[in-house]
Amino acid sequence: MTIITYDKPFKTYEQMIEIMKSRNIIIADESFTKMALQNFSYYSIVNGYKNTFLQLPNSEKFIEGTRFEELYTLHSIDTSLNTILFKYIIYIEKSLKSRISYLISENYGVYTDWNDMSNNNPDDYLYNRYYSNSTGKRDTILRKIKECITNQRNNPSLIHYRNTKNHIPPWIITTNIPFGLSIEWYTILKGIHKSDICSQFLSSEALTIDERKEFFIKALSLIKEYRNKIAHGNRTFSIMQLPILPKKAAILLSLGNLKEYEYNSRLGQNDLFSVILVILILLNDSYLLTGFYRELYTLFIPYEQNNILFNGKSVYEVFGLPNNTLDRIQKLLKARFT
C-alpha cells in the first residue's frame, strides 16, 4: 500500500485556529471563530481574503494586527454583495428573454414542433431560415433551444403547456433556457431584429448601432459569466478573465461616471465596477434601479460613515471600487431618469 502525504490534510477546528495564530491572525474569541469556521470553512474566510492582508504576495504570513473578525466581515460583505448583484442580473436576464420572445412571436408566430430537430418547417418559429448563420452556429443553437422543451428541468410552466396546450410559445420556452442560451438566441437573430432589441436596451445617439450592439453583447457576456462565477462560490473581488467592455461605449454610456484615464487603468473594463455599470445601463426600470442603489447603500454606508478600514483600506478599495461609488451611481441614475 502506497502512503501518500497530502498537501492539504484534514485539520480540526482547533488546529485551524492554531494555524491562523501562527500566520499572525489575532483570534480574540475562539468560540466565535470556531462557529464561523463551521458555517463557512477556513478556505472561504481565511484564504478567500488573504491577499488584502498578506505581508508579501504568495507568502503565508499576515500583516501584524490582522484580526479574524476583519476576515469574517469581508466574507459577510462579499456574500451580501454577491446576492445583490445576482438578483439584478436576473432582472436583466428576464428582460432579455421577454423581449426576444415578444419579437419572435410577433414576427414568426407561436408554434414550434419540438420533435423536429431539423427546423425546416416555415410554420415553426424556430425555422432555420428565420435566423442568421453568419457565425456558423445557427443550427446548433436552434437545436439546443428545442431540446430545452423536452428537457423539462421540472419547469411547471413548460410541463403545463406540454400537457394541456396544443403549442408551446416562445415566452414559455424562455422560462426553461439558461441565460447563456438566451444570449446565443439573440446572436442568431437577423440583423434588423438584433438592432431592434439592442436599441430597446441602449438608445444612446452618441453611438452607432454597431457600437451599441458590440457593447450590448459584451455587456451581456460579462454579467452572464460574472453571475455564473458567483453562483459557484467565487469571491466578488477575485474574479478574473471576464469579457472586456468596449472603451468608447463604456465611457459614454456611464454618462460621465467612468473617465478615460480610469478605464485605461483597468477600472470599468471587466471588474466589479464594470458589472455595476452594466446593471445601471441595461436595466431600464427606475423602480428596480432605485432598489439596486438602496441595497448597495445599505451594504456600504456603515463602513463609509464610520470610516472603518481593513488593513488601512476602505471597503471600496478592498473591493476595487472608487471611494465615491455611491455618489456615481446616484448621478448616473439622475442623469438617466430626470
Side-chain angles (χ1 to χ4, degrees), residues 234-250:
N234 286 270
R235 297 167 299 281
T236 301
F237 57 86
S238 66
I239 295 175
M240 306 294 288
Q241 298 178 335
L242 296 173
I244 296 175
L245 296 179
K247 178 178 178 179
K248 177 182 176 182

mmCIF file with all atom_site columns, all heavy atoms in Angstrom, residues 234-250:
data_model
loop_
_atom_site.group_PDB
_atom_site.id
_atom_site.type_symbol
_atom_site.label_atom_id
_atom_site.label_alt_id
_atom_site.label_comp_id
_atom_site.label_asym_id
_atom_site.label_entity_id
_atom_site.label_seq_id
_atom_site.pdbx_PDB_ins_code
_atom_site.Cartn_x
_atom_site.Cartn_y
_atom_site.Cartn_z
_atom_site.occupancy
_atom_site.B_iso_or_equiv
_atom_site.pdbx_formal_charge
_atom_site.auth_seq_id
_atom_site.auth_comp_id
_atom_site.auth_asym_id
_atom_site.auth_atom_id
_atom_site.pdbx_PDB_model_num
ATOM 1   N N   . ASN A 1 234 ? -17.368 31.826 -6.172  1.00 0.00 ? 234 ASN A N   1
ATOM 2   C CA  . ASN A 1 234 ? -16.205 32.682 -6.359  1.00 0.00 ? 234 ASN A CA  1
ATOM 3   C C   . ASN A 1 234 ? -16.386 33.994 -5.616  1.00 0.00 ? 234 ASN A C   1
ATOM 4   O O   . ASN A 1 234 ? -17.497 34.511 -5.483  1.00 0.00 ? 234 ASN A O   1
ATOM 5   C CB  . ASN A 1 234 ? -15.992 32.970 -7.850  1.00 0.00 ? 234 ASN A CB  1
ATOM 6   C CG  . ASN A 1 234 ? -15.435 31.780 -8.590  1.00 0.00 ? 234 ASN A CG  1
ATOM 7   O OD1 . ASN A 1 234 ? -14.226 31.603 -8.695  1.00 0.00 ? 234 ASN A OD1 1
ATOM 8   N ND2 . ASN A 1 234 ? -16.322 30.941 -9.112  1.00 0.00 ? 234 ASN A ND2 1
ATOM 9   N N   . ARG A 1 235 ? -15.292 34.563 -5.156  1.00 0.00 ? 235 ARG A N   1
ATOM 10  C CA  . ARG A 1 235 ? -15.337 35.805 -4.403  1.00 0.00 ? 235 ARG A CA  1
ATOM 11  C C   . ARG A 1 235 ? -15.441 36.990 -5.357  1.00 0.00 ? 235 ARG A C   1
ATOM 12  O O   . ARG A 1 235 ? -14.813 37.017 -6.402  1.00 0.00 ? 235 ARG A O   1
ATOM 13  C CB  . ARG A 1 235 ? -14.091 35.928 -3.511  1.00 0.00 ? 235 ARG A CB  1
ATOM 14  C CG  . ARG A 1 235 ? -14.022 34.829 -2.464  1.00 0.00 ? 235 ARG A CG  1
ATOM 15  C CD  . ARG A 1 235 ? -12.672 34.755 -1.791  1.00 0.00 ? 235 ARG A CD  1
ATOM 16  N NE  . ARG A 1 235 ? -11.593 34.471 -2.715  1.00 0.00 ? 235 ARG A NE  1
ATOM 17  C CZ  . ARG A 1 235 ? -11.318 33.263 -3.193  1.00 0.00 ? 235 ARG A CZ  1
ATOM 18  N NH1 . ARG A 1 235 ? -12.071 32.232 -2.863  1.00 0.00 ? 235 ARG A NH1 1
ATOM 19  N NH2 . ARG A 1 235 ? -10.318 33.080 -4.017  1.00 0.00 ? 235 ARG A NH2 1
ATOM 20  N N   . THR A 1 236 ? -16.244 37.977 -4.980  1.00 0.00 ? 236 THR A N   1
ATOM 21  C CA  . THR A 1 236 ? -16.548 39.096 -5.861  1.00 0.00 ? 236 THR A CA  1
ATOM 22  C C   . THR A 1 236 ? -15.286 39.771 -6.379  1.00 0.00 ? 236 THR A C   1
ATOM 23  O O   . THR A 1 236 ? -15.164 40.051 -7.555  1.00 0.00 ? 236 THR A O   1
ATOM 24  C CB  . THR A 1 236 ? -17.413 40.133 -5.120  1.00 0.00 ? 236 THR A CB  1
ATOM 25  O OG1 . THR A 1 236 ? -18.613 39.497 -4.683  1.00 0.00 ? 236 THR A OG1 1
ATOM 26  C CG2 . THR A 1 236 ? -17.765 41.283 -6.037  1.00 0.00 ? 236 THR A CG2 1
ATOM 27  N N   . PHE A 1 237 ? -14.346 40.056 -5.499  1.00 0.00 ? 237 PHE A N   1
ATOM 28  C CA  . PHE A 1 237 ? -13.209 40.853 -5.949  1.00 0.00 ? 237 PHE A CA  1
ATOM 29  C C   . PHE A 1 237 ? -12.000 40.021 -6.371  1.00 0.00 ? 237 PHE A C   1
ATOM 30  O O   . PHE A 1 237 ? -10.900 40.532 -6.491  1.00 0.00 ? 237 PHE A O   1
ATOM 31  C CB  . PHE A 1 237 ? -12.796 41.900 -4.900  1.00 0.00 ? 237 PHE A CB  1
ATOM 32  C CG  . PHE A 1 237 ? -12.461 41.330 -3.536  1.00 0.00 ? 237 PHE A CG  1
ATOM 33  C CD1 . PHE A 1 237 ? -11.201 40.878 -3.252  1.00 0.00 ? 237 PHE A CD1 1
ATOM 34  C CD2 . PHE A 1 237 ? -13.427 41.278 -2.548  1.00 0.00 ? 237 PHE A CD2 1
ATOM 35  C CE1 . PHE A 1 237 ? -10.888 40.380 -1.990  1.00 0.00 ? 237 PHE A CE1 1
ATOM 36  C CE2 . PHE A 1 237 ? -13.124 40.786 -1.289  1.00 0.00 ? 237 PHE A CE2 1
ATOM 37  C CZ  . PHE A 1 237 ? -11.851 40.329 -1.015  1.00 0.00 ? 237 PHE A CZ  1
ATOM 38  N N   . SER A 1 238 ? -12.198 38.733 -6.616  1.00 0.00 ? 238 SER A N   1
ATOM 39  C CA  . SER A 1 238 ? -11.086 37.909 -7.113  1.00 0.00 ? 238 SER A CA  1
ATOM 40  C C   . SER A 1 238 ? -11.420 37.274 -8.452  1.00 0.00 ? 238 SER A C   1
ATOM 41  O O   . SER A 1 238 ? -10.652 36.484 -8.965  1.00 0.00 ? 238 SER A O   1
ATOM 42  C CB  . SER A 1 238 ? -10.767 36.795 -6.105  1.00 0.00 ? 238 SER A CB  1
ATOM 43  O OG  . SER A 1 238 ? -11.845 35.877 -6.015  1.00 0.00 ? 238 SER A OG  1
ATOM 44  N N   . ILE A 1 239 ? -12.568 37.635 -9.040  1.00 0.00 ? 239 ILE A N   1
ATOM 45  C CA  . ILE A 1 239 ? -12.975 37.051 -10.314 1.00 0.00 ? 239 ILE A CA  1
ATOM 46  C C   . ILE A 1 239 ? -12.153 37.669 -11.444 1.00 0.00 ? 239 ILE A C   1
ATOM 47  O O   . ILE A 1 239 ? -12.052 38.879 -11.565 1.00 0.00 ? 239 ILE A O   1
ATOM 48  C CB  . ILE A 1 239 ? -14.475 37.266 -10.547 1.00 0.00 ? 239 ILE A CB  1
ATOM 49  C CG1 . ILE A 1 239 ? -15.285 36.501 -9.494  1.00 0.00 ? 239 ILE A CG1 1
ATOM 50  C CG2 . ILE A 1 239 ? -14.883 36.820 -11.950 1.00 0.00 ? 239 ILE A CG2 1
ATOM 51  C CD1 . ILE A 1 239 ? -16.770 36.750 -9.551  1.00 0.00 ? 239 ILE A CD1 1
ATOM 52  N N   . MET A 1 240 ? -11.578 36.802 -12.256 1.00 0.00 ? 240 MET A N   1
ATOM 53  C CA  . MET A 1 240 ? -10.719 37.258 -13.349 1.00 0.00 ? 240 MET A CA  1
ATOM 54  C C   . MET A 1 240 ? -11.228 36.679 -14.658 1.00 0.00 ? 240 MET A C   1
ATOM 55  O O   . MET A 1 240 ? -12.156 35.888 -14.700 1.00 0.00 ? 240 MET A O   1
ATOM 56  C CB  . MET A 1 240 ? -9.267  36.820 -13.101 1.00 0.00 ? 240 MET A CB  1
ATOM 57  C CG  . MET A 1 240 ? -8.703  37.246 -11.750 1.00 0.00 ? 240 MET A CG  1
ATOM 58  S SD  . MET A 1 240 ? -8.528  39.031 -11.566 1.00 0.00 ? 240 MET A SD  1
ATOM 59  C CE  . MET A 1 240 ? -7.141  39.317 -12.662 1.00 0.00 ? 240 MET A CE  1
ATOM 60  N N   . GLN A 1 241 ? -10.603 37.095 -15.758 1.00 0.00 ? 241 GLN A N   1
ATOM 61  C CA  . GLN A 1 241 ? -10.841 36.548 -17.088 1.00 0.00 ? 241 GLN A CA  1
ATOM 62  C C   . GLN A 1 241 ? -12.305 36.678 -17.508 1.00 0.00 ? 241 GLN A C   1
ATOM 63  O O   . GLN A 1 241 ? -12.941 35.713 -17.940 1.00 0.00 ? 241 GLN A O   1
ATOM 64  C CB  . GLN A 1 241 ? -10.383 35.090 -17.155 1.00 0.00 ? 241 GLN A CB  1
ATOM 65  C CG  . GLN A 1 241 ? -8.899  34.916 -16.902 1.00 0.00 ? 241 GLN A CG  1
ATOM 66  C CD  . GLN A 1 241 ? -8.458  33.463 -16.913 1.00 0.00 ? 241 GLN A CD  1
ATOM 67  O OE1 . GLN A 1 241 ? -9.244  32.577 -16.652 1.00 0.00 ? 241 GLN A OE1 1
ATOM 68  N NE2 . GLN A 1 241 ? -7.195  33.226 -17.234 1.00 0.00 ? 241 GLN A NE2 1
ATOM 69  N N   . LEU A 1 242 ? -12.818 37.879 -17.409 1.00 0.00 ? 242 LEU A N   1
ATOM 70  C CA  . LEU A 1 242 ? -14.171 38.171 -17.865 1.00 0.00 ? 242 LEU A CA  1
ATOM 71  C C   . LEU A 1 242 ? -14.103 38.985 -19.153 1.00 0.00 ? 242 LEU A C   1
ATOM 72  O O   . LEU A 1 242 ? -13.084 39.630 -19.441 1.00 0.00 ? 242 LEU A O   1
ATOM 73  C CB  . LEU A 1 242 ? -14.929 38.956 -16.794 1.00 0.00 ? 242 LEU A CB  1
ATOM 74  C CG  . LEU A 1 242 ? -15.188 38.238 -15.469 1.00 0.00 ? 242 LEU A CG  1
ATOM 75  C CD1 . LEU A 1 242 ? -15.799 39.200 -14.470 1.00 0.00 ? 242 LEU A CD1 1
ATOM 76  C CD2 . LEU A 1 242 ? -16.094 37.035 -15.659 1.00 0.00 ? 242 LEU A CD2 1
ATOM 77  N N   . PRO A 1 243 ? -15.180 38.977 -19.974 1.00 0.00 ? 243 PRO A N   1
ATOM 78  C CA  . PRO A 1 243 ? -15.197 39.802 -21.191 1.00 0.00 ? 243 PRO A CA  1
ATOM 79  C C   . PRO A 1 243 ? -14.973 41.271 -20.864 1.00 0.00 ? 243 PRO A C   1
ATOM 80  O O   . PRO A 1 243 ? -15.410 41.761 -19.823 1.00 0.00 ? 243 PRO A O   1
ATOM 81  C CB  . PRO A 1 243 ? -16.613 39.561 -21.739 1.00 0.00 ? 243 PRO A CB  1
ATOM 82  C CG  . PRO A 1 243 ? -17.010 38.230 -21.186 1.00 0.00 ? 243 PRO A CG  1
ATOM 83  C CD  . PRO A 1 243 ? -16.384 38.152 -19.821 1.00 0.00 ? 243 PRO A CD  1
ATOM 84  N N   . ILE A 1 244 ? -14.291 41.978 -21.752 1.00 0.00 ? 244 ILE A N   1
ATOM 85  C CA  . ILE A 1 244 ? -13.943 43.384 -21.532 1.00 0.00 ? 244 ILE A CA  1
ATOM 86  C C   . ILE A 1 244 ? -14.926 44.285 -22.273 1.00 0.00 ? 244 ILE A C   1
ATOM 87  O O   . ILE A 1 244 ? -15.200 44.091 -23.462 1.00 0.00 ? 244 ILE A O   1
ATOM 88  C CB  . ILE A 1 244 ? -12.505 43.671 -22.009 1.00 0.00 ? 244 ILE A CB  1
ATOM 89  C CG1 . ILE A 1 244 ? -11.505 42.865 -21.169 1.00 0.00 ? 244 ILE A CG1 1
ATOM 90  C CG2 . ILE A 1 244 ? -12.186 45.157 -21.928 1.00 0.00 ? 244 ILE A CG2 1
ATOM 91  C CD1 . ILE A 1 244 ? -10.068 42.984 -21.638 1.00 0.00 ? 244 ILE A CD1 1
ATOM 92  N N   . LEU A 1 245 ? -15.459 45.282 -21.580 1.00 0.00 ? 245 LEU A N   1
ATOM 93  C CA  . LEU A 1 245 ? -16.377 46.227 -22.199 1.00 0.00 ? 245 LEU A CA  1
ATOM 94  C C   . LEU A 1 245 ? -15.628 47.133 -23.178 1.00 0.00 ? 245 LEU A C   1
ATOM 95  O O   . LEU A 1 245 ? -14.506 47.575 -22.879 1.00 0.00 ? 245 LEU A O   1
ATOM 96  C CB  . LEU A 1 245 ? -17.045 47.095 -21.131 1.00 0.00 ? 245 LEU A CB  1
ATOM 97  C CG  . LEU A 1 245 ? -17.959 46.391 -20.128 1.00 0.00 ? 245 LEU A CG  1
ATOM 98  C CD1 . LEU A 1 245 ? -18.518 47.415 -19.141 1.00 0.00 ? 245 LEU A CD1 1
ATOM 99  C CD2 . LEU A 1 245 ? -19.088 45.655 -20.832 1.00 0.00 ? 245 LEU A CD2 1
ATOM 100 N N   . PRO A 1 246 ? -16.208 47.440 -24.328 1.00 0.00 ? 246 PRO A N   1
ATOM 101 C CA  . PRO A 1 246 ? -15.576 48.371 -25.271 1.00 0.00 ? 246 PRO A CA  1
ATOM 102 C C   . PRO A 1 246 ? -15.392 49.744 -24.635 1.00 0.00 ? 246 PRO A C   1
ATOM 103 O O   . PRO A 1 246 ? -16.299 50.260 -23.975 1.00 0.00 ? 246 PRO A O   1
ATOM 104 C CB  . PRO A 1 246 ? -16.564 48.418 -26.441 1.00 0.00 ? 246 PRO A CB  1
ATOM 105 C CG  . PRO A 1 246 ? -17.379 47.172 -26.323 1.00 0.00 ? 246 PRO A CG  1
ATOM 106 C CD  . PRO A 1 246 ? -17.465 46.887 -24.855 1.00 0.00 ? 246 PRO A CD  1
ATOM 107 N N   . LYS A 1 247 ? -14.255 50.324 -24.852 1.00 0.00 ? 247 LYS A N   1
ATOM 108 C CA  . LYS A 1 247 ? -13.868 51.557 -24.170 1.00 0.00 ? 247 LYS A CA  1
ATOM 109 C C   . LYS A 1 247 ? -14.812 52.728 -24.450 1.00 0.00 ? 247 LYS A C   1
ATOM 110 O O   . LYS A 1 247 ? -15.363 53.341 -23.523 1.00 0.00 ? 247 LYS A O   1
ATOM 111 C CB  . LYS A 1 247 ? -12.446 51.937 -24.573 1.00 0.00 ? 247 LYS A CB  1
ATOM 112 C CG  . LYS A 1 247 ? -11.919 53.225 -23.967 1.00 0.00 ? 247 LYS A CG  1
ATOM 113 C CD  . LYS A 1 247 ? -10.483 53.459 -24.410 1.00 0.00 ? 247 LYS A CD  1
ATOM 114 C CE  . LYS A 1 247 ? -9.914  54.755 -23.862 1.00 0.00 ? 247 LYS A CE  1
ATOM 115 N NZ  . LYS A 1 247 ? -8.500  54.955 -24.288 1.00 0.00 ? 247 LYS A NZ  1
ATOM 116 N N   . LYS A 1 248 ? -15.008 53.065 -25.714 1.00 0.00 ? 248 LYS A N   1
ATOM 117 C CA  . LYS A 1 248 ? -15.801 54.252 -26.063 1.00 0.00 ? 248 LYS A CA  1
ATOM 118 C C   . LYS A 1 248 ? -17.218 54.145 -25.510 1.00 0.00 ? 248 LYS A C   1
ATOM 119 O O   . LYS A 1 248 ? -17.726 55.083 -24.881 1.00 0.00 ? 248 LYS A O   1
ATOM 120 C CB  . LYS A 1 248 ? -15.846 54.418 -27.583 1.00 0.00 ? 248 LYS A CB  1
ATOM 121 C CG  . LYS A 1 248 ? -16.711 55.579 -28.048 1.00 0.00 ? 248 LYS A CG  1
ATOM 122 C CD  . LYS A 1 248 ? -16.755 55.649 -29.568 1.00 0.00 ? 248 LYS A CD  1
ATOM 123 C CE  . LYS A 1 248 ? -17.699 56.754 -30.047 1.00 0.00 ? 248 LYS A CE  1
ATOM 124 N NZ  . LYS A 1 248 ? -17.779 56.801 -31.539 1.00 0.00 ? 248 LYS A NZ  1
ATOM 125 N N   . ALA A 1 249 ? -17.843 53.009 -25.723 1.00 0.00 ? 249 ALA A N   1
ATOM 126 C CA  . ALA A 1 249 ? -19.232 52.836 -25.273 1.00 0.00 ? 249 ALA A CA  1
ATOM 127 C C   . ALA A 1 249 ? -19.334 52.845 -23.762 1.00 0.00 ? 249 ALA A C   1
ATOM 128 O O   . ALA A 1 249 ? -20.266 53.427 -23.196 1.00 0.00 ? 249 ALA A O   1
ATOM 129 C CB  . ALA A 1 249 ? -19.792 51.537 -25.843 1.00 0.00 ? 249 ALA A CB  1
ATOM 130 N N   . ALA A 1 250 ? -18.391 52.194 -23.086 1.00 0.00 ? 250 ALA A N   1
ATOM 131 C CA  . ALA A 1 250 ? -18.434 52.150 -21.622 1.00 0.00 ? 250 ALA A CA  1
ATOM 132 C C   . ALA A 1 250 ? -18.351 53.551 -21.029 1.00 0.00 ? 250 ALA A C   1
ATOM 133 O O   . ALA A 1 250 ? -19.081 53.896 -20.090 1.00 0.00 ? 250 ALA A O   1
ATOM 134 C CB  . ALA A 1 250 ? -17.300 51.278 -21.091 1.00 0.00 ? 250 ALA A CB  1
#
